[in-house]
Amino acid sequence: MSSARPRRASRAAALIGSTLALGLAGLAGASAAQAGSDSWPCGSVPGSVTCPGDRHTLTSVKAFGASGRSVNAGASWNGTEGQLYANWAWGTGTTCHGYGAGNLLYPVVKNPNSTSMTMSGLSTFGSGAASC
């Protein structure tokens, strides 16, 4: 009889540990999928240069620049233009590119002009986040 108690105790401990691990994994997944937004300043960006934000499961990327000047918004696998996901969205002063929210990407804004321009970006991410 005394040998049965340690087995039951170790099974109970294993079950509690497994349940706790699954619960924590579920919470981590839920918080990662929640809707949110992130903005980042780029300062004065030289012509044809990109400015990435933090990586998220993107829903949209918005670029803001000087009124009357072109801006680009997009997403990248690694934060550079060389690994662009899909295409650039083009606009004057402000533009936005929407995504299906399923890929972990870097939001990227670009100054497509030949001279410097002060820019900033805004991304939305996660389940239920507003798109463009």
Side-chain angles (χ1 to χ4, degrees):
M1 254 193 175
S2 63
S3 64
R5 286 186 186 183
R7 283 187 200 161
R8 285 185 189 154
S10 65
R11 284 185 195 153
L15 180 60
I16 290 170
S18 297
T19 303
L20 181 60
L22 287 173
L24 290 174
L27 286 175
S31 64
Q34 290 178 349
S37 65
D38 190 24
S39 63
W40 68 100
C42 296
S44 184
V45 179
S48 300
V49 172
T50 59
C51 176
D54 292 333
R55 194 168 101 168
H56 297 289
T57 305
L58 290 180
T59 306
S60 69
V61 178
K62 198 176 258 190
F64 300 93
S67 179
R69 303 212 37 211
S70 295
V71 291
N72 293 1
S76 169
W77 290 106
N78 67 354
T80 69
E81 185 174 2
Q83 292 284 316
L84 195 65
Y85 175 83
N87 297 312
W88 290 112
W90 294 74
T92 303
T94 303
T95 191
C96 187
H97 196 307
Y99 298 94
N103 292 306
L104 192 57
L105 301 166
Y106 291 90
V108 182
V109 296
K110 179 181 177 181
N111 175 3
N113 303 287
S114 59
T115 59
S116 294
M117 174 174 59
T118 300
M119 296 181 65
S120 63
L122 172 70
S123 63
T124 60
F125 53 89
S127 178
S131 188
C132 298

